[in-house]
């Protein structure tokens, strides 16, 4: 692994560009003072892997729909109709997601860990902060695998065009409006949503921001904020939480979709992809695929493996055991009520201090940007964001 030390912009500058979550609760910087150097071949491999994986997800999604495998994925019963409707109608366009990948550097093969398809974080860090870090260190800021901002902007235009070609977007756009929402009192999520709002503005949409609690929903008329009706609503709030914790909202959104009064982003079908149980479906359909790790609903036999919850986050409720079932590492958490999956354990690339590096590749119509998380064997909410640059081979 090649690491290049950098000088981080000071916190005042970071906050001026909207990056407020620069310091972890233990008072250490959230962003690493090194960047990972990768080759152009490694960047290309990440790009190709994410594109191939998304095609596999799409094919596996069709298999889930055709075979009614919603229970296996842990999808709440009150969202099944929304998942089906969004899958069957192309107007429910997947805006963006993030693949979490092991390997890809240090000579290790790329392996899929999971797909954050519904509410991926680290968007701000990947699309904005990495450029700022390179520029602040007098490095060429174009030497990255990082086209996230423009890729998402083009994907906003595809909400209207519904096709690859977006050159005639202005001719087809008719003043549609997008309402962007996050929960209150979470600066990271609010900044992420407002970044997406900015991108949509640049794409040509009329936009507004509102906290989720201030949005009004009407089954027959659609989604409103301050008496304005919005054709699109982007919410940085997990679909599974809507189904489990906000059953009335789940019903209203399903009815709004049935009546074709609004389109929700990311679409409900991304809940299938978000479920870690989807890794088991993929393994069934593509056994021994070089990008996949063996995954099952039951403990695997005779190999090191990771047990994790299908809707767990930030490494919570995760257990790593070796081939003799001895616990190597584990984390408690708040997701214990969810079903477990068991996934073959693969070591992440490590630096000289033994810290692990997991790649995150954003996908918006195609693979479009790379960033890394650094931490222990289980990457939790104390893991650090690590930028990258592409250097000559």
């Amino acid at each position: 692994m090649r690491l290049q030390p950098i000088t981080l912009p000071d916190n005042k500058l970071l906050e001026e560009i909207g990056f407020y979550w620069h310091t972890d609760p233990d008072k250490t910087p959230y962003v690493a003072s090194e960047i990972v150097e990768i080759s152009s071949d490694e960047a290309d491999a990440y790009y190709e892997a994410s594109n191939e994986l998304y095609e596999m997800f799409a094919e596996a999604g069709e298999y889930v729909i055709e075979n009614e495998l919603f229970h296996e994925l842990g999808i709440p019963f009150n969202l099944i109709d929304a998942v089906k409707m969004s899958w069957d109608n192309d107007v429910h366009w997947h805006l963006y997601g993030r693949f979490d990948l092991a390997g890809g550097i240090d000579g290790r093969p790329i392996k899929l860990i999971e797909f954050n398809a519904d509410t991926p974080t680290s968007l701000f860090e990947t699309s904005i902060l990495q450029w700022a870090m390179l520029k602040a260190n007098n490095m060429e800021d174009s030497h990255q695998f990082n086209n996230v901002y423009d890729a998402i902007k083009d994907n906003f235009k595809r909400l209207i065009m519904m096709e690859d070609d977006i050159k005639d977007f202005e001719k087809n756009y008719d003043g549609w409006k997008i309402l962007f929402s996050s929960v209150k009192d979470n600066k990271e999520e609010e900044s992420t949503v407002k970044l997406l709002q900015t991108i949509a503005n640049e794409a040509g949409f009329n936009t507004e921001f509102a906290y989720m609690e201030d949005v009004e929903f009407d089954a027959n008329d659609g989604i409103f904020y301050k008496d304005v009706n919005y054709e699109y609503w982007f919410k940085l709030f997990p679909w599974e939480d809507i189904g489990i914790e906000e059953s009335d909202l789940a019903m209203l959104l399903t009815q709004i979709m049935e009546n074709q009064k609004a389109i929700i982003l990311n679409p409900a079908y991304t809940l299938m992809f978000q479920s870690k149980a989807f890794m088991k479906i993929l393994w069934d359909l593509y056994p021994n695929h070089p990008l996949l790790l063996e995954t099952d609903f039951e403990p695997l036999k005779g190999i090191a493996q990771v047990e994790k919850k299908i809707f767990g986050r930030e490494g919570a409720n995760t257990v790593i055991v070796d081939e003799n079932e001895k616990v190597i590492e584990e984390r408690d958490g708040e997701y214990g009520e969810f079903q477990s999956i068991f996934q073959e354990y693969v070591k992440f690339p490590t630096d000289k201090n033994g810290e692990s590096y997991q790649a995150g590749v954003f996908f918006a119509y195609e693979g479009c940007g790379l960033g890394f998380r650094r931490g222990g064997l289980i990457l939790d909410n104390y893991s650090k964001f690590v930028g990258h640059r592409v250097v000559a081979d």
Side-chain angles (χ1 to χ4, degrees), residues 103-168:
I105 53 177
D106 203 18
R108 297 173 185 266
I110 294 172
K111 296 288 185 179
L112 173 67
I113 302 299
E114 58 197 51
F115 186 26
N116 298 276
D118 178 20
T119 54
T121 54
S122 75
L123 175 66
F124 197 104
E125 298 92 306
T126 304
S127 62
I128 301 296
L129 187 57
Q130 291 194 98
W131 296 108
M133 291 193 301
L134 291 190
K135 185 161 277 195
N137 285 269
N138 297 313
M139 297 176 180
E140 177 54 57
D141 57 11
S142 65
H143 291 175
Q144 294 185 47
F145 168 29
N146 187 3
N147 188 40
V148 178
Y149 196 100
D150 288 336
I152 293 178
K153 182 164 65 175
D154 287 348
N155 234 6
F156 272 117
K157 294 180 180 181
R158 292 189 184 96
L159 295 176
I160 306 303
M161 301 303 295
M162 291 290 110
E163 59 184 24
D164 300 354
D165 192 349
I166 57 173
K167 69 177 184 295
D168 292 328

Side-chain angles (χ1 to χ4, degrees), residues 7 19 53 59-60 77 98 111 118 131 156 162 168 198 206 216 229-230 235 269 295 317 340 351 362 365 393:
T7 300
F19 188 70
L53 284 167
E59 292 176 8
F77 72 93
R98 190 193 76 235
K111 296 288 185 179
D118 178 20
W131 296 108
F156 272 117
M162 291 290 110
D168 292 328
T198 298
N206 295 316
E216 298 178 5
N229 180 233
Y230 289 86
K235 48 65 186 170
Y269 68 74
T295 308
N317 301 99
S340 290
D351 61 23
F362 276 90
Y365 188 73
D393 296 339

Side-chain angles (χ1 to χ4, degrees), residues 226-355:
K226 292 184 176 179
D227 297 325
V228 176
N229 180 233
Y230 289 86
E231 292 88 357
Y232 296 89
W233 181 49
F234 178 91
K235 48 65 186 170
L236 194 63
F237 192 78
W239 274 108
E240 70 267 20
D241 288 352
I242 291 175
I244 296 168
E245 301 172 8
E246 305 285 347
S247 58
D248 289 344
L249 179 57
M251 179 182 68
L252 279 169
L253 293 178
T254 300
Q255 292 171 334
I256 288 168
M257 291 169 61
E258 286 175 338
N259 294 324
Q260 300 183 4
K261 293 300 181 180
I263 296 168
I264 295 97
L265 305 169
N266 275 310
Y269 68 74
T270 58
L271 180 53
M272 294 191 297
F273 297 168
Q274 184 86 14
S275 170
K276 296 178 181 62
F278 204 86
M279 306 304 110
K280 198 269 185 187
I281 304 294
L282 286 172
W283 185 258
D284 288 345
L285 295 178
Y286 305 97
N288 300 307
H289 190 284
L291 291 172
L292 300 181
L293 296 167
E294 182 179 359
T295 308
D296 206 334
F297 294 133
E298 300 295 331
L300 305 174
K301 303 297 184 183
I303 63 171
Q305 60 199 275
V306 181
E307 177 184 359
K308 49 190 175 181
K309 301 300 180 179
I310 59 173
F311 290 122
R313 295 171 184 269
E314 299 287 357
N317 301 99
T318 298
V319 183
I320 303 175
V321 300
D322 66 15
E323 63 276 11
N324 298 313
E325 302 181 15
K326 179 183 177 182
V327 174
I328 301 172
E329 192 85 13
E330 62 182 323
R331 293 282 188 280
D332 292 329
E334 57 184 296
Y335 304 101
E337 76 275 13
F338 290 116
Q339 175 186 352
S340 290
I341 58 130
F342 299 85
Q343 185 181 60
E344 177 188 354
Y345 174 60
V346 60
K347 291 183 178 180
F348 291 122
T350 56
D351 61 23
K352 63 182 180 181
N353 297 317
E355 295 201 272

Side-chain angles (χ1 to χ4, degrees), residues 28-100:
T28 60
Y30 161 57
V31 180
S33 57
E34 302 89 20
I35 56 174
V36 179
E37 293 186 336
I38 67 170
S39 69
S40 58
D41 286 344
E42 288 169 332
D44 290 344
Y46 280 127
Y47 171 78
E48 296 294 343
S50 62
N51 292 345
E52 183 173 358
L53 284 167
Y54 198 85
E55 290 181 7
M56 294 161 62
F57 268 78
E59 292 176 8
E62 186 65 34
Y63 177 82
V64 169
I65 297 287
E66 290 178 353
N67 292 279
E68 300 273 339
L69 299 179
F70 306 109
H71 176 72
E72 285 82 350
L73 297 182
I75 292 175
F77 72 93
N78 56 359
L79 287 177
I80 291 175
D81 287 344
V83 169
K84 288 180 176 178
M85 279 189 291
S86 63
W87 185 262
D88 290 337
N89 192 331
D90 287 343
V91 300
H92 300 277
W93 194 265
H94 189 187
L95 185 60
Y96 78 118
R98 190 193 76 235
F99 288 104
D100 286 344

